[in-house]
Amino acid sequence: METHSSVKRKTAGIPLMSDTRWGSRGKTVGAFLDHFKSAHSALTDLESRTSSNSNKANNLRHSMESFDTIVTAVTTNKILGYIQPLTKELQSPNIDLMTAYKEAREVAQVISTLRNEKGFCDIYAQSIELASTIDVVSSKKRVTNRQQNRANTPSQSIEEHYRLNLFYPFIDHVTSQLNTRFVENSEPAMLATYLIPSALSRLTKDKQEMMVSWYREDLPQPDSIDQEIHRWKVKNQPPTLLVLTAKDTLNMINVQYYPNIHCILSIYLTLPMTTCSCERSFSALRRLKTWLRSSIGNDRLSGLAMMHVHRNRALDPEKVLKRWDASGHRRIVLAFDRK
């Protein structure tokens, strides 16, 4: 049974693969596999014609007829399917550090469980089935005594060759990158999550000292932070209702009684997980300051950028006109009371 996303990909064709957006890679590889036979037929048709693209079509067709290409595409599509939701979530403006680290470690753990013969068996079977649609027989590249450009692990069969030289190295690379990028407690800023009532019991003295030293310069009352955390622990002992998120903790805390903890959680929630927010602002500026607006001033550009970024906020046109009329910089006088 075809899923909605699969049907959508088939009707939309094969999207281009972006060099910067990892989310597009999964879509491109998935669409390529869905349109595999159709793409091969189209390349064969282009090759038969006398045109400038016939040589390029010939090279692409030969590449598709390589069993190595088919196994690589199926393996990549399988692994990227696990990473795709994480990639989308990391681009969300509401994600926090702890949630991202937790989800990334869970994805890495799930992917690592595929590193066995059973995990590759389904991929290899799907590769053979896909290769049969264009009459390609499973094969492996020639093994030499000295190989420098690709893996050359000895194997007894074709399946074992791709499992040892392609599947296992790809799994190891993906899991190592996830574990390196999302190391637990790699940043002292993440220790602020132990101030959440549900995690207070795991806040040790060493972790507290590391957290305080990292946030000390921004605290309103740094000399009383230890006493404040002690009071916070006593207040949130069972059977008090345990809050599970930092955002809910910040909403329930009394800033008058716990100013330092409120400051720590506020900074923690504003720390960006990725550079998506900065990249969005760059994209917005590129859309606003075009060649037709090359002489735009900083004040007007800043105002347009704020209106564009926060376009979902409702504005009162009458208040805007009143403020514009009362500025005194316009020759047109509107019928508003300036009092």
Side-chain angles (χ1 to χ4, degrees), residues 305-317:
M306 293 293 292
M307 293 175 61
H308 177 71
V309 173
H310 302 285
R311 58 185 179 275
N312 295 329
R313 297 186 59 180
L315 297 177
D316 188 355

Side-chain angles (χ1 to χ4, degrees), residues 39 45 61 89 96 125 143 147 167 174-175 234 243 256-257 260 330:
D45 182 63
R61 181 182 63 82
E89 189 64 20
D96 58 79
V143 177
Q147 183 59 254
F167 184 66
V174 172
T175 54
V234 174
V243 183
Q256 301 297 331
Y257 288 98
N260 293 311
R330 303 289 178 180

Side-chain angles (χ1 to χ4, degrees), residues 99-119:
T99 303
Y101 275 60
K102 182 179 178 181
E103 293 295 333
R105 288 194 297 269
E106 289 179 355
V107 171
Q109 184 178 3
V110 171
I111 294 177
S112 62
T113 59
L114 301 175
R115 197 184 186 280
N116 49 54
E117 295 184 10
K118 184 179 179 180

Side-chain angles (χ1 to χ4, degrees), residues 148-161:
Q148 297 179 350
N149 299 324
R150 57 183 173 85
N152 194 23
T153 305
S155 57
Q156 301 297 328
S157 62
I158 299 176
E159 181 179 358
E160 185 182 8
H161 169 77

Side-chain angles (χ1 to χ4, degrees), residues 84-103:
Q84 190 76 9
L86 177 64
T87 304
K88 293 181 179 180
E89 189 64 20
L90 289 177
Q91 299 175 9
S92 173
N94 298 323
I95 193 171
D96 58 79
L97 285 173
M98 180 54 67
T99 303
Y101 275 60
K102 182 179 178 181
E103 293 295 333

Side-chain angles (χ1 to χ4, degrees), residues 313-331:
R313 297 186 59 180
L315 297 177
D316 188 355
E318 185 174 349
K319 291 183 179 180
V320 175
L321 289 174
K322 284 183 178 180
R323 184 171 180 177
W324 179 73
D325 185 33
S327 62
H329 300 294
R330 303 289 178 180
R331 295 181 180 180

